[in-house]
Amino acid sequence: MKHVLRIIIITIAVSAILPVSMAGGEPAPPRRELVSLRHWTAPEHTRIVLDMSSECIYQVSERSGPNRIVIDIPKGRLAAGLRKFKVGDGVIDRVRVNRLSNGAQVVIDLPAKSSYKHFALKPNNIHPRHRIVIDVNRTISVTEKRKKAEKARRVAQSGDYVVIIDPGHGGSKPGASSKYGPSEKYYTLPLSKLIAEEIEKHRGFKAVLTRKGDYDVGLYRRIEIAKQHGGHCFVSVHLNSPNKNNKRKLRGSEVYYLTREATSDKHAASVAEKENMDFGEDVNRKELNGDVEEILYNMLRNNAYNMSSVLASHMALELNRMGSIPFRGIRQGNILVLRGIEMPSVLVEVAYLSSKSDVTQIKKKSVQRKVAKAVACGVVSYLLENPPENMEKRPARMAVHTVSRGETLSGIAQRYSCSIKDIRTLNNIGSKSMIRPGQKLTVYAKTD
Ligand SMILES: [Zn+2]
């Protein structure tokens, strides 16, 4: 067995000289202390995160008989109470900690030899600790890979409109925090699932999620999922928080689309900076900037760049009508996850986690459903009005009907040759609810 030994020496940055002060006025832990260990199982890898009290030198080596990955932290210490734990997800058996005479050691026991990568992350506004990250890859068989690719191809070739829904953050990346409840990632996934559900209520529409559980998904993987499934548009779902210098009380939802130029909008720039933070680890900025020229060229060629603003305005219209959470407007930002997407794409900041009123609203299932419906209606009405040119088969066409005074559901159903049940399902109208004049209803249009 070849012994692999990699040594990473992290240069001491100015920021590291200052101890990271933690909330609550607790004394800072000693330097080079392994404060905690966390893990997440993703479909293609399992991530172990070592939260450190300061920057440190660490060494990663691979051992066999039994298979394991060993992380040595010279002069490192273990926080009191750190214990071994079982993972048992088929990728990692368990994680152990050892106190050595010259430092600390973490051992990752593997059921079989696996490939892995590791890197270090510095603290930022969201993550207060220095971190050492080990990603152990799941061994995926050729048959399994083929099955996955085949499934994606079937969606791409279904002739349906394919909408990619991208739940922001996940796993070791909680996103924005809130003093009124859980952090961003706990909202983005259920909201995205509801949006997908609402989209699929429309005949001829499919929704694909870039993340289905609480785990990390890198920037390139999100873009790859969108491409593989032949997405016609892309919606990234987030919740906002103001940066520390902003003392204004902000609340409401916002829709962002990509800007090519540096923006003079300071608010948009700070939102983009915050949302891009998660991708620091897997983005070689130079590499992405190299690709970006080509991506922007392709976006211009297929008009996706202009169409993103049209998609944003469709969504804005729906979010504005929704009530519950005020709509703050459409903005342009230099947002990484949108930069790799060659289809019309937007990022929705659903609410402000710093606003008590917004959090009270977004915690309600009924409001989550309303938001999901608004986002879904925005995408659906956009695609119906702007069908992608490369579609071989067109799904059943739909139209938006504005209810006039005196009109009934049965009258509208008759006019469009669809059932009352269809109209109720498409528009989330309960069996006891009435329609009102001026209300906009999505209906199946007559196909003749
Ligand atoms: Zn976010």
Side-chain angles (χ1 to χ4, degrees):
M1 170 70 62
K2 200 178 145 200
H3 207 78
V4 182
L5 179 70
R6 293 182 207 152
I7 301 178
I8 301 292
I9 298 174
I10 306 161
T11 50
I12 305 292
V14 178
S15 63
I17 297 167
L18 306 163
V20 180
S21 69
M22 305 305 289
E26 290 165 22
R31 283 173 55 75
R32 289 187 288 267
E33 182 174 274
L34 173 55
V35 182
S36 54
L37 278 162
R38 298 175 291 154
H39 72 96
W40 288 271
T41 301
E44 288 165 13
H45 71 271
T46 296
R47 169 164 291 192
I48 303 289
V49 175
L50 285 64
D51 295 305
M52 303 299 304
S53 65
S54 65
E55 277 190 315
C56 56
I57 294 172
Y58 73 95
Q59 301 163 352
V60 181
S61 57
E62 193 181 333
R63 315 262 171 90
S64 59
N67 288 298
R68 62 204 192 275
I69 297 165
V70 177
I71 303 111
D72 283 303
I73 306 158
K75 295 185 186 162
R77 312 150 175 255
L78 299 176
L82 262 192
R83 301 267 177 277
K84 67 179 178 186
F85 59 90
K86 193 171 174 261
V87 179
D89 60 0
V91 178
I92 294 175
D93 284 337
R94 60 180 181 158
V95 178
R96 295 180 279 132
V97 286
N98 294 322
R99 205 166 264 123
L100 307 179
S101 58
N102 58 347
Q105 187 181 62
V106 175
V107 181
I108 303 173
D109 290 316
L110 309 172
K113 185 178 157 57
S114 302
S115 61
Y116 65 94
K117 65 172 181 179
H118 64 85
F119 50 89
L121 295 172
K122 290 189 164 127
N124 57 35
N125 288 347
I126 293 171
H127 311 281
R129 298 274 184 214
H130 285 271
R131 287 149 289 157
I132 299 168
V133 181
I134 320 285
D135 280 342
V136 184
N137 294 321
R138 180 178 292 276
T139 310
I140 300 169
S141 71
V142 179
T143 330
E144 218 178 319
K145 269 187 196 156
R146 204 181 297 141
K147 265 190 190 162
K148 250 186 159 173
E150 181 52 41
K151 213 176 149 194
R153 198 163 43 241
R154 270 205 303 275
V155 173
Q157 294 173 349
S158 63
D160 290 339
Y161 290 115
V162 180
V163 182
I164 311 294
I165 308 294
D166 176 49
H169 315 279
S172 67
K173 313 279 174 45
S177 59
S178 171
K179 55 179 172 181
Y180 306 112
S183 50
E184 191 178 350
K185 70 170 184 178
Y186 293 103
Y187 295 97
T188 56
L189 186 63
L191 273 168
S192 298
K193 285 181 174 170
L194 286 177
I195 295 168
E197 212 178 285
E198 287 297 328
I199 285 172
E200 296 204 336
K201 278 184 183 169
H202 295 259
R203 206 186 290 164
F205 280 78
K206 270 203 170 67
V208 175
L209 292 164
T210 58
R211 162 167 93 78
K212 290 178 182 159
D214 183 19
Y215 49 80
D216 292 79
V217 186
L219 174 67
Y220 287 108
R221 184 68 191 127
R222 291 178 196 251
I223 295 168
E224 191 183 40
I225 292 169
K227 281 186 184 167
Q228 280 171 343
H229 290 83
H232 293 114
C233 56
F234 182 96
V235 181
S236 198
V237 180
H238 292 256
L239 286 94
N240 222 333
S241 68
N243 74 23
K244 280 185 184 142
N245 306 326
N246 197 332
K247 297 275 182 282
R248 282 190 306 146
K249 278 200 165 22
L250 298 174
R251 68 167 301 199
S253 61
E254 289 168 346
V255 178
Y256 285 82
Y257 67 98
L258 185 68
T259 174
R260 273 182 296 166
E261 293 86 26
T263 174
S264 56
D265 179 342
K266 278 192 186 148
H267 174 76
S270 82
V271 169
E273 190 192 335
K274 178 173 61 70
E275 298 302 3
N276 292 344
M277 217 172 262
D278 269 11
F279 298 127
E281 77 204 43
D282 53 358
V283 170
N284 174 340
R285 294 285 177 116
K286 266 189 194 151
E287 193 183 296
L288 191 81
N289 286 337
D291 289 348
V292 102
E293 285 309 313
E294 194 189 329
I295 288 162
L296 287 178
Y297 171 76
N298 287 338
M299 283 186 85
L300 284 172
R301 199 191 53 197
N302 62 24
N303 211 22
Y305 191 73
N306 288 334
M307 294 320 282
S308 294
S309 69
V310 181
L311 171 60
S313 50
H314 275 260
M315 208 166 281
L317 198 76
E318 300 296 335
L319 286 168
N320 200 22
R321 276 207 328 222
M322 182 196 67
S324 308
I325 295 168
F327 181 64
R328 291 171 45 85
I330 301 175
R331 290 172 188 270
Q332 278 186 281
N334 193 353
I335 293 164
L336 276 174
V337 74
L338 303 184
R339 285 176 72 167
I341 299 290
E342 292 177 23
M343 59 197 81
S345 51
V346 291
L347 183 144
V348 190
E349 296 280 0
V350 169
Y352 268 86
L353 285 178
S354 51
S355 153
K356 196 177 177 184
S357 321
D358 272 11
V359 174
T360 309
Q361 288 299 317
I362 201 63
K363 274 183 177 170
K364 293 180 193 161
K365 265 275 165 245
S366 60
V367 173
Q368 290 184 12
R369 178 65 74 179
K370 267 168 105 174
V371 169
K373 193 172 152 48
V375 171
C377 282
V379 182
V380 168
S381 74
Y382 162 78
L383 280 169
L384 291 175
E385 277 180 35
N386 308 279
E389 280 171 19
N390 57 351
M391 300 269 294
E392 283 178 20
K393 188 185 102 192
R394 291 285 154 84
R397 293 198 38 214
M398 271 178 259
V400 175
H401 175 85
T402 309
V403 180
S404 317
R405 197 166 295 279
E407 265 190 317
T408 60
L409 262 183
S410 63
I412 297 166
Q414 205 170 18
R415 179 169 161 193
Y416 289 95
S417 314
C418 58
S419 68
I420 296 174
K421 190 169 166 272
D422 273 347
I423 299 179
R424 285 196 189 276
T425 313
L426 278 178
N427 300 282
N428 258 353
I429 303 172
S431 55
K432 291 195 179 90
S433 304
M434 310 281 281
I435 52 169
R436 52 186 161 71
Q439 187 176 357
K440 284 190 163 52
L441 298 175
T442 306
V443 293
Y444 292 117
K446 273 185 177 170
T447 44
D448 52 47

